Amino acid sequence: MKTVNFIILLVLFFTLWCCKDAKKNVEKNKDTALSFIERLERVSDSIKVEDIVVKNIFKSQILAHQNKVFDSLMIVEKVYKPHQQLWDHCYGMIFGEDNAAKFNTPEGMIGWNKTLYPDNKAFFNDRAESLLRMNLDSTIQANLDQFNTLVPYKVESTISILFTPITGILFGGCTNHQFCIELNYEEQDITYTIENGLPHELNHLAYEPLRVNDPDRNTALRQMIDEGFACYFTWVFFDNKISKHRAVENMSDKEWHWYLNNEKALFNKLSPYFNDESGDNPLMRNDKYKFFPEAPKSLNYWLGFRIIEKYVEKHGEESWKDIYEMNVQDVLNQSDYKTFIDHLE
């Protein structure tokens, strides 16, 4: 009798398990069967974690075209007004007086949004599809949660993900509350931008306000440490489970080793420009001066990363948090990077 009861219980358990699994598959298939527009409509208008807000403005820029009549009201209410600071002050300023009216008036915003999506429909849909495949809401939520857990300083920021008629920002902005990610660049790896670029840029927003009293805040050294630290933070952000070369501008392993093989020459030839404040120097403008014409990516990002890396090797794995409050010259000196370079062959 006990054997019979056991078999009955086993059959019941197996039946319930199968039903539960089948229900999951039905729900999954429902999501898969949803149209592109239905899945886009499910994306949040914005995601807020503590004092950081990410606005999915691109969503409404596409949805405004899905009825027979272009929804100009949606452009005003869901594209322009939610991040008016960005459009009025950042885009309205950086692209000049001739283009200001495109961004700082409802009529101007309606004008270019009316034609931009239809003229680029296939590419814009593909961009949006990439974001949907990566589960945009949950990815942003997880990144913001992780950032606020790691960084010992509160960051306030508003970032919009959007399409624009004039590109030039890519990922950046004019102030913490005038930030954006432009989706227009065909060569852009959008998955890398959202997953790796978001922690990188947020670290800038945490670090840069703390440089106000740094005597070298306007130098190439500060810019190098700033970028290198953002790259190093990205590596820490992913618990050191992504490669260092991916954390630094999504380099390849081959590109990383080019830098390692030229490390001593790089430092010795570029260090005389660390104190330059013009921004026009070989460290920042290798494209112009071509001190190292074969160099992949950005010289200052990689050198900055190596200085931070050497600092942490010397002071302990949690010492990267020291960097936020240290003057950049102290970071360089206390990393002993120059001593390391001097011992290279």
Side-chain angles (χ1 to χ4, degrees):
M1 187 69 180
K2 287 182 178 179
T3 304
V4 172
N5 287 339
F6 175 76
I7 292 172
I8 291 171
L9 286 170
L10 190 64
V11 169
L12 283 171
F13 174 79
F14 181 74
T15 302
L16 288 170
W17 182 83
C18 288
C19 289
K20 186 178 180 181
D21 195 54
K23 186 178 179 181
K24 281 184 179 178
N25 286 333
V26 167
E27 292 299 319
K28 185 177 179 182
N29 288 335
K30 276 184 181 178
D31 286 344
T32 304
L34 290 173
S35 70
F36 165 69
I37 295 301
E38 288 171 325
R39 286 181 291 130
L40 187 62
E41 288 173 334
R42 289 188 169 196
V43 172
S44 301
D45 286 346
S46 65
I47 300 164
K48 185 176 188 296
V49 177
E50 295 191 25
D51 294 319
I52 303 171
V53 182
V54 176
K55 296 179 180 291
N56 294 317
I57 282 177
F58 76 94
K59 165 189 171 180
S60 297
Q61 289 181 287
I62 293 175
L63 293 179
H65 294 270
Q66 300 313 309
N67 294 320
K68 290 182 179 179
V69 178
F70 171 65
D71 193 340
S72 59
L73 183 62
M74 182 181 288
I75 297 299
V76 175
E77 296 298 326
K78 297 284 192 176
V79 177
Y80 180 53
K81 287 184 178 180
H83 206 168
Q84 193 169 342
Q85 282 190 60
L86 172 73
W87 299 117
D88 285 358
H89 302 297
C90 196
Y91 276 99
M93 177 186 68
I94 64 176
F95 292 116
E97 291 183 8
D98 292 342
N99 292 300
K102 292 180 180 178
F103 305 110
N104 62 17
T105 66
E107 296 77 15
M109 291 289 293
I110 290 168
W112 61 262
N113 272 287
K114 189 172 185 177
T115 58
L116 186 67
Y117 173 72
D119 290 346
N120 299 276
K121 184 176 180 179
F123 174 59
F124 284 12
N125 284 357
D126 182 67
R127 266 286 182 260
E129 188 67 63
S130 296
L131 296 175
L132 293 173
R133 283 197 300 270
M134 69 185 294
N135 298 315
L136 182 63
D137 282 357
S138 58
T139 298
I140 290 174
Q141 180 78 40
N143 277 1
L144 296 184
D145 285 338
Q146 173 76 342
F147 178 82
N148 283 301
T149 299
L150 282 173
V151 176
Y153 302 95
K154 291 294 182 185
V155 171
E156 295 182 7
S157 183
T158 307
I159 304 167
S160 285
I161 305 175
L162 50 82
F163 298 109
T164 184
I166 306 173
T167 55
I169 294 178
L170 183 56
F171 193 163
C174 301
T175 71
N176 281 26
H177 288 289
Q178 298 173 26
F179 243 66
C180 71
I181 302 172
E182 294 178 344
L183 298 175
N184 299 57
Y185 293 80
E186 292 191 22
E187 64 275 16
Q188 179 187 41
D189 181 342
I190 192 59
T191 301
Y192 179 86
T193 298
I194 299 296
E195 291 182 348
N196 296 66
L198 188 56
H200 179 111
E201 294 300 332
L202 287 174
N203 198 65
H204 285 312
L205 298 181
Y207 175 73
E208 289 171 3
L210 300 170
R211 302 275 53 77
V212 173
N213 296 318
D214 191 329
D216 295 302
R217 63 186 176 276
N218 297 318
T219 65
L221 175 64
R222 196 280 300 167
Q223 293 182 8
M224 182 175 69
I225 295 296
D226 192 353
E227 293 296 353
F229 185 31
C231 294
Y232 190 88
F233 174 79
T234 301
W235 185 62
V236 171
F237 183 91
F238 290 103
D239 199 25
N240 307 350
K241 290 178 181 176
I242 64 170
S243 63
K244 292 176 182 178
H245 58 78
R246 179 170 171 79
V248 183
E249 292 196 289
N250 203 20
M251 283 187 188
S252 67
D253 184 61
K254 181 179 179 181
E255 289 169 335
W256 181 267
H257 279 86
W258 181 92
Y259 276 100
L260 288 177
N261 293 334
N262 292 277
E263 188 164 14
K264 188 167 188 173
L266 283 164
F267 181 83
N268 288 337
K269 199 165 184 180
L270 294 172
S271 57
Y273 300 95
F274 284 179
N275 292 325
D276 180 77
E277 296 189 5
S278 71
D280 186 19
N281 60 69
L283 179 65
M284 311 299 298
R285 296 291 313 277
N286 188 51
D287 59 326
K288 176 180 178 181
Y289 290 96
K290 301 190 185 303
F291 274 28
F292 295 91
E294 305 88 3
K297 309 292 182 177
S298 303
L299 300 172
N300 59 324
Y301 281 57
W302 191 85
L303 275 175
F305 182 96
R306 289 291 280 169
I307 290 167
I308 304 298
E309 188 177 26
K310 291 302 174 185
Y311 179 90
V312 174
E313 285 178 11
K314 181 179 178 183
H315 298 279
E317 65 178 352
E318 291 294 311
S319 64
W320 60 269
K321 295 177 183 178
D322 301 345
I323 307 299
Y324 290 104
E325 293 192 354
M326 294 177 65
N327 289 340
V328 292
Q329 189 64 53
D330 293 335
V331 175
L332 176 61
N333 294 341
Q334 294 179 37
S335 70
D336 281 347
Y337 187 64
K338 187 177 186 309
T339 302
F340 165 76
I341 290 293
D342 289 343
H343 284 86
L344 291 177
E345 294 182 359

